[in-house]
Every structure is written in C-alpha cells, then in structure tokens.
Amino acid sequence: MAAHISTLSLPRLLVAAKNASLHARWQGVAHSAVRYSTVPVPQEKTFDKILIANRGEIACRVMKTCRMMGIQTVAVHSDVDASAVHVKMADQAVCVGPAPTNQSYLNMDAIMEAVRSTGAQAVHPGYGFLSENKEFARRLAAEGVAFIGPDTHAIQAMGDKIESKLIAKAAQVNTIPGFDGVVETVEDAVRIALDIGYPVMIKASAGGGGKGMRIAWNEEETRDGFRFSTQEAASSFGDSRLLIEKFIDNPRHIEIQVLADKHGNALWLNERECSIQRRNQKVVEEAPSTFLDADTRRAMGEQAVQLAQAVQYSSAGTVEFLVDSHKNFYFLEMNTRLQVEHPITELITGLDLVQQMIRVAKGYPLLHKQEDIPINGWAIESRVYAEDPYKSFGLPSIGRLSQYQEPLNLSNVRVDSGISEGSDISIYYDPMISKLVTYGATRAEALSKMEDALDNYVIRGVTHNIPLLREIITHPRFISGDISTNFLPEVYPDGFNGHQLTAGGQRELLASAAALHVSAQLRAQTFLGTLRVSASSQERRRWDLCVELGGERHPVVVSRTGQTYTVEVGGESLVVSGEWDLASPLLPLKINNTPRMLQCLSRTASGDICLQYLGTSFKVRVLSPLAAELSSFMPEKVPEDTSSILRSPMPGSVVAVSVKPGDTVAEGQEICVIEAMKMQNSMTAAKTGKVKSVHCKAGETVGEGDLLVELE
C-alpha cells in the first residue's frame, strides 16, 4: 500500500487546475518505498529526450523522474560501466571512453558527440563531473541543446569561490573574513594565514565536495595544506587556484535549497543540516535542522535568494553557510547544481526537484510562491559508502557486491542507488553505494526508522560504513541535536572502533550466537524435516557450550523448546526466539521479547560465526567445553610488526614517492602519497629509521595491504 502524507495546501500547484493542492507524497512503487512527488502539469510540454551526463545513483534518480514525465533518456558510460544499472535503465546508452574519468565522464567531446548522435534535446549533468563546468554549458547552448541547470554566467560566478565571495558581499550576504584573491605561492599562503590568524581554511577556488580543502593551525600545516589542496584541485577540477579564509571553529554546516526560474522568481526551500562530516565530506544529513529558529531560517533563506538573484540564477541550487553557536551565519559557497542530499528536501516539501529543474530549463515559470513551501515532518539521509569506517572514519574499499538487498520492505524508506547485486565498486569513481533516506512525522520517528533501515540493509562483498552510520544516529549527542562539523573527532578522538558492547549487549550477542549454533546443528541433523539417522536417540534438549568473544571465554547453557531457546550466560537467563531461516542474510530475533535484527555474515562448521549486531560485526566462536579446552593448545599467529613497514591502507594510485633506499626518515615524515577517489592521502613513517627498500613508484596502482616501503 502506498504511503501518503498531506502537507500544507499549495493552491498554485497547477496552472490548469486552480484548486489543486500539492501533497508531500511518496508512492510505494515497490514495497512502500518512500518516493518524491512528480506531478506532470497538463498541457505542459518539456523535452522528448534527455541525456544524463553522469553515472550511478544520480543518473538513475534523474531517469526516474524523466520516466514519470514521459521523457526518453540517454545514458553515457565508460567501458567498465557497460553493465551498470543506469545504463540498463536508460532508453539508449552511449560509451564515451575508458574507465578514467578524464577519458569518459569528463570527456566533453565524446559526450557532445553522444548528444548529437542520439538527438537529445537537453542534458542533465547530475552532480560532480561536468555539472558545474561553464564550458560544457556553453557548448551545449551553441548547439541549441538545453543545459538543465543555470546559465554560464551563474556557473562561472558561483563556481569561482573568490568571485562568488565578492558577489556575496555586494549582495549583502554575510561572508567569512579572508583574503579576496588567488594565493599564488606557498610563501604567500603562509603570509596570508598569519595576517588572517590561525586557524585558516585553504580551499580550491573551483572546488566542492570536500576536495582540495585543508584546515591549517600553524605554518607547517599551511605548507602541507597548500601542496595537497593544489594537487587535489588540479586533479579534481582542472584548476589549481586556491583561496584562504578564516576557519570558523566548531561550526554547524547548514545549507539552503534555492529554486529559481528564468522570469526573476526565486524561492528558498528550507534548510538541510549537514554538520556530520569526515574530511569535509558529508556523512549524515537531515531536514529541517534542530538548531534553527524561524527567524534565523528566514534570514538565511532570504540571503540565499538575494545571492541567487544577484547572478540571475535559474534552476535548483544550494547556498551553503557556516553557523556558529550564536546563530551567526556566514556564506561558504554556492553549488550550481542538484545537491547529493536533495532527497531530504523533497520529502519535507513534496517537490520533485529534478522535475522543477526540467521545467525551468524549458522556460516555464515556477508554480509556487514562498508562502506555499511547507516543512512537513522530518527526513534523514545516511550516505552509505564502500568504505572502511575504522580507518580515518572511512577509507575507500573496492570489490564486487556478492549480495545486496535494500531495506525497501520497510515503510517510509527511500533508497537512491545505482548498483545491484553483482555490481563492482572500483577505484575509478566515488565509493558511494546509496543514499538511505527515512521519513517520519517527527525527528524521533525518522531516527527510529533509520535504525531499522540500517539493520535491514544487506551488503556483502565490500567493506561499508553502516557500523559508523548506526553509531552516529544512536549517539546521545546526535539525538539531542548537539552537533557540529567536529562531531566525529570529538566523539571518537581515538578513531572509530565500532559499537562498544555493554554487559547486557554482550549477553545478547553471546546468547544469539549460541542459539544460532544450536539451530544450525539441528538443521544439519535433518533432511526434508526428518532425522538423517532414523535410529537416533530422543531429540536433544540441552547443550553445554563455550562462546569465545574478544579473547574471552564464556560458559553458556542452551535449552530448547520448539523455535525458542533459553540461554544461560553471565548469570542471566535470556529467551531467544525467531524463525531461524539460516539461508536468509537477515536474522530477525526476539531477545527477552525485544526485537533485534541481526545478520549472519559468515558461519563455519568449526563454530566460527560472524554476526552483525547493532550495526557492527563481531566474530565469535562457539565450541563444546572439550573443544574449547583443547583449542588453548593451538599456536596463535604472531601479528606482523608494522613499525618497520608501510602498507597501503586503501586501494588507489601512487601520486608521489618521497624517499629512496638508504634515506633516513624521521617519525611522521611523509614517505609517499596515495590518491583514492580523487582524495590524496599522505603516508608517513611510524618510526625513525633508514629506508631498506621501496616497493612502489609514482603512477602505479596499489591495493589495500600492498607493501609500499620497508625500513631497516
């Protein structure tokens, strides 16, 4: 049954139907999945065919709206993406080059040829790649093809952070103190940073998405930040220019969604709270913000519209602000494209932003007035990445999705993805798996739904960040709304280590593992519901076991009645019941009548079990008391001494190697630089020593765990 939630009346929704209302609807096309509202306007013709110059989830997202509007779609793809979901979704598909982005998704000539050969009348750029490239928009306009985004003037003005800051000042938008010019050299950077006062933010003038950004607290960090930001900016945007401004310590990152047409009309569609970040990239977003009051929201919205009108903006765009603890807000940048986190705005307003962009590109005026825009309910988005959250809150992981199941069986859940079971996550592109979005009438309801959705999300074959996401949304500070862009380093100063088990949580995990082990043993004894050995004695009802967890052994006694197990562990008795479908990746249980969704990630005949419990995977071993006693005599593997070797913590390419055999290095000295998904990472020495051998060179591709350098 499709979910339906009403919003405030929007009497101007349809030109042809004066009394119609806009409802924040999501149609449950499959399993009551949360959807945005696409309401085609009668007698309003837009385009017959649109080419989407992007890949992955955003390409699929645009295609869904095009399909509902009756518009044919064209996908472009690299050779490694030939079987990608967005290619299969489109009506036509054109290969635009090999895997590297500069030869495919950034290959303007190839994409222009795809536009010509398919007869596409318009191009939607999605986000990233060519979405904020003024030259691409200019070339499309020269051939009479609509660019579904703003015109070249607005792209250029807002895409250059130096120019955009000057325009914002002129438009009476609050701005951050800083240097209003290009930083030419590293010595200029040091001098300017001293003039402004530490800390400072060094960032790419043409940048976005957290790339080409570094915070510097002293001269050494300024020099390093200048170097890395220059390289990342050149690699990601083809523009190495940098600017420096004052870093607002401990701020919130709150952005305003704007929507404008070619007739001078502009709206602000409320805010999105985007403060949960790692490496200046967003992890969890929500709308609205718990922090803003109505007056601050209005002031931010009005300034965002002032800026949009100052550059004659026409399309959907986002004005980002930093907000301090006193609700003072400062312009950060404007993204002249559809934002990654746009779904949460769609859910609280009911507007399909892709549809609005298409209408505006065709020249139609906006259908709504500012007073028509509601805040209806609460929406939260978790960015699900193929990343290892235990390494710097998320270093990229690659691999093939051997098993993949989205939690669309739950109501009020929306998943924007561009992958399926069997898809490959490669080193060439962003490691995002999906955007998991939940909705509720209240924030508490949306958070509860997100917990359930993360527990029900099945991802196998790659390391993912669901453990981190679940810990964030259940943390007391997040629940209370006490957040800032420093949330992760403040909450996890020693890095993320997964869910920390309480005594009660440990008993639940041990009891679940023991019950699962017994259930698997009983299943192995039967065939088609009959005991394999017909002459066997009466069915067993009690098991004495030993469960190992985290290097400790716990005696456990399990007794069984039907599908219910009573487990005695740690002086407590827990009742564990469930359907025990061992072929399913999900393991829905009730532990003392509390519902828990576990996942059995792996299980061996020797008693080794890996369970995902409360988002984090735990390795346990269930043995008989005799086997546990004998296992103590087994030799343990001696861990590798990592102080004398440097291994790559992620797959990527070697950008630079700073040492050679015979060199003496100090602890913390840079040895090499690895680039993964357009982010550069400095690899440093763990101790002072002499370089024995170097096993990599610039330009090489390395895998996770590959040996880079050895010290004597």
Side-chain angles (χ1 to χ4, degrees):
M1 180 178 177
H4 177 98
I5 294 206
S6 298
T7 69
L8 302 177
S9 175
L10 298 176
R12 302 174 184 84
L13 172 62
L14 303 179
V15 173
K18 295 181 179 177
N19 297 322
S21 297
L22 174 63
H23 297 283
R25 300 184 313 193
W26 46 84
Q27 290 119 357
V29 174
H31 307 296
S32 299
V34 174
R35 299 296 297 273
Y36 34 84
S37 173
T38 308
V39 184
V41 180
Q43 301 174 338
E44 196 177 77
K45 181 172 175 56
T46 54
F47 303 102
D48 296 322
K49 185 182 290 186
I50 292 176
L51 182 144
I52 296 93
N54 216 298
R55 67 179 298 279
E57 68 86 12
I58 190 58
C60 296
R61 163 68 188 90
V62 174
M63 289 176 191
K64 289 174 184 175
T65 288
C66 288
R67 182 173 294 172
M68 286 186 275
M69 294 178 71
I71 301 171
Q72 289 190 317
T73 56
V74 179
V76 295
H77 64 90
S78 64
D79 52 10
V80 297
D81 272 347
S83 299
V85 173
H86 78 280
V87 174
K88 296 174 182 177
M89 274 188 70
D91 297 294
Q92 290 178 264
V94 179
C95 182
V96 290
T101 55
N102 63 345
Q103 299 176 50
S104 52
Y105 296 104
L106 290 174
N107 186 343
M108 228 180 288
D109 291 338
I111 293 175
M112 290 302 300
E113 180 55 37
V115 172
R116 297 186 199 102
S117 66
T118 59
Q121 301 164 325
V123 172
H124 196 300
Y127 56 74
F129 295 135
L130 297 172
S131 62
E132 296 177 281
N133 189 301
K134 63 182 183 294
E135 176 62 18
F136 183 52
R138 186 197 64 76
R139 289 182 63 174
L140 288 171
E143 299 206 13
V145 177
F147 178 75
I148 302 177
D151 62 24
T152 54
H153 166 70
I155 295 173
Q156 177 173 335
M158 292 295 100
D160 187 313
K161 287 184 171 56
I162 297 170
E163 184 178 351
S164 67
K165 188 173 180 180
L166 296 174
I167 293 172
K169 281 185 177 179
Q172 297 185 323
V173 176
N174 303 344
T175 58
I176 301 171
F179 179 68
D180 297 331
V182 178
V183 184
E184 300 287 354
T185 68
V186 67
E187 298 304 327
D188 286 340
V190 171
R191 176 180 53 79
I192 292 166
L194 286 171
D195 289 343
I196 295 172
Y198 288 107
V200 296
M201 172 69 83
I202 304 168
K203 59 185 181 181
S205 176
K211 296 179 176 66
M213 296 176 67
R214 290 291 191 280
I215 299 167
W217 294 81
N218 52 48
E219 180 178 331
E220 182 183 356
E221 291 183 3
T222 300
R223 293 180 181 277
D224 288 343
F226 181 88
R227 177 164 62 97
F228 285 122
S229 293
T230 300
Q231 293 170 350
E232 287 180 5
S235 173
S236 298
F237 314 112
D239 184 343
S240 62
R241 292 176 304 145
L242 301 179
L243 62 88
I244 297 180
E245 61 190 18
K246 183 69 176 177
F247 174 65
I248 308 298
D249 193 18
N250 211 39
R252 286 175 179 260
H253 184 135
I254 300 176
E255 61 190 29
I256 300 291
Q257 175 72 57
V258 295
L259 181 64
D261 62 23
K262 300 178 187 295
H263 305 276
N265 304 305
L267 306 171
W268 49 275
L269 307 181
N270 304 310
E271 80 278 6
R272 294 186 289 256
E273 172 74 72
C274 307
S275 297
I276 306 298
Q277 303 181 4
R278 50 96 177 92
R279 299 191 301 280
N280 298 309
Q281 291 181 309
K282 300 158 190 171
V283 180
V284 176
E285 303 102 344
E286 61 181 308
S289 168
T290 60
F291 189 61
L292 297 190
D293 54 53
D295 290 341
T296 308
R297 176 179 295 114
R298 184 182 306 106
M300 293 176 69
E302 289 173 352
Q303 287 199 18
V305 166
Q306 286 168 209
L307 181 61
Q309 292 177 327
V311 293
Q312 299 178 317
Y313 196 86
S314 59
S315 191
T318 298
V319 180
E320 300 189 349
F321 293 94
L322 290 181
V323 185
D324 68 19
S325 58
H326 301 290
K327 298 184 180 176
N328 299 308
F329 57 90
Y330 306 93
F331 169 69
L332 185 61
E333 64 181 3
M334 183 176 188
N335 292 316
T336 57
R337 52 167 167 80
L338 189 64
Q339 200 82 328
V340 176
E341 57 273 17
H342 74 273
I344 55 179
T345 294
E346 293 183 323
L347 293 185
I348 67 166
T349 63
L351 291 172
D352 180 339
L353 293 182
V354 174
Q355 181 193 23
Q356 300 306 315
M357 293 178 75
I358 292 171
R359 291 188 66 260
V360 168
K362 188 62 177 177
Y364 292 110
L366 299 182
L367 294 171
H368 315 115
K369 303 295 183 184
Q370 189 62 57
E371 60 267 23
D372 297 333
I373 305 304
I375 296 181
N376 183 63
W378 216 283
I380 298 173
E381 174 178 290
S382 293
R383 298 194 188 189
V384 181
Y385 283 105
E387 290 182 338
D388 185 346
Y390 302 99
K391 297 177 180 177
S392 301
F393 300 112
L395 292 183
S397 169
I398 61 172
R400 176 166 293 174
L401 292 167
S402 57
Q403 197 168 15
Y404 183 74
Q405 184 176 306
E406 296 172 349
L408 295 177
N409 57 305
L410 304 176
S411 62
N412 295 354
V413 172
R414 166 176 165 177
V415 183
D416 282 17
S417 67
I419 48 89
S420 61
E421 195 163 286
S423 293
D424 287 312
I425 307 294
S426 75
I427 64 170
Y428 297 107
Y429 311 117
D430 189 272
M432 180 183 284
I433 293 174
S434 74
K435 299 178 310 199
L436 177 63
V437 189
T438 58
Y439 175 88
T442 64
R443 186 171 185 261
E445 186 180 326
L447 282 172
S448 176
K449 189 64 67 174
M450 181 61 74
E451 262 188 81
D452 291 341
L454 290 168
D455 285 343
N456 280 269
Y457 208 147
V458 177
I459 304 172
R460 306 280 193 275
V462 297
T463 306
H464 55 76
N465 67 333
I466 282 180
L468 175 62
L469 294 172
R470 198 184 190 285
E471 286 299 294
I472 290 171
I473 63 145
T474 57
H475 195 279
R477 270 190 59 180
F478 184 84
I479 293 171
S480 68
D482 177 19
I483 61 175
S484 73
T485 55
N486 293 326
F487 178 87
L488 288 178
E490 286 177 356
V491 172
Y492 308 105
D494 300 320
F496 179 69
N497 294 306
H499 179 73
Q500 301 303 299
L501 290 171
T502 62
Q506 184 183 76
R507 286 192 294 270
E508 285 194 2
L509 179 60
L510 295 172
S512 300
L516 176 63
H517 175 79
V518 171
S519 179
Q521 279 195 330
L522 293 174
R523 181 174 181 251
Q525 293 172 7
T526 63
F527 178 73
L528 297 178
T530 305
L531 288 173
R532 294 179 183 272
V533 182
S534 58
S536 64
S537 59
Q538 188 176 5
E539 188 177 356
R540 190 174 174 185
R541 296 286 181 181
R542 175 188 167 95
W543 292 261
D544 291 302
L545 301 171
C546 180
V547 183
E548 296 179 357
L549 172 65
E552 296 182 352
R553 292 178 179 172
H554 305 268
V556 170
V557 178
V558 181
S559 56
R560 170 178 174 258
T561 304
Q563 296 297 311
T564 301
Y565 296 87
T566 301
V567 184
E568 296 175 20
V569 55
E572 300 271 346
S573 181
L574 284 77
V575 178
V576 184
S577 60
E579 296 181 4
W580 305 106
D581 181 0
L582 302 184
S584 171
L586 296 173
L587 192 62
L589 301 178
K590 278 191 175 182
I591 305 175
N592 285 352
N593 284 323
T594 300
R596 296 288 190 203
M597 180 61 74
L598 280 70
Q599 295 189 31
C600 182
L601 305 181
S602 64
R603 178 171 52 84
T604 68
S606 60
D608 291 310
I609 300 174
C610 185
L611 285 176
Q612 182 174 305
Y613 170 73
L614 301 182
T616 297
S617 61
F618 294 92
K619 293 181 178 179
V620 300
R621 173 180 276 187
V622 185
L623 301 170
S624 68
L626 176 60
E629 182 181 350
L630 294 175
S631 70
S632 63
F633 297 101
M634 297 295 289
E636 293 186 6
K637 182 179 179 181
V638 178
E640 183 179 44
D641 178 12
T642 57
S643 64
S644 299
I645 61 173
L646 177 65
R647 294 188 181 276
S648 178
M650 78 211 88
S653 58
V654 180
V655 175
V657 180
S658 308
V659 298
K660 61 183 184 298
D663 287 353
T664 299
V665 295
E667 181 180 351
Q669 181 180 332
E670 180 178 288
I671 289 179
C672 63
V673 177
I674 305 293
E675 182 178 284
M677 279 76 174
K678 298 295 182 184
M679 296 294 288
Q680 295 195 357
N681 303 272
S682 176
M683 304 291 105
T684 59
K687 68 175 184 179
T688 299
K690 182 178 287 187
V691 177
K692 178 181 178 182
S693 57
V694 178
H695 298 268
C696 63
K697 60 184 178 181
E700 284 186 342
T701 298
V702 294
E704 181 179 356
D706 283 1
L707 182 62
L708 302 175
V709 174
E710 285 183 276
L711 302 181
E712 291 181 354

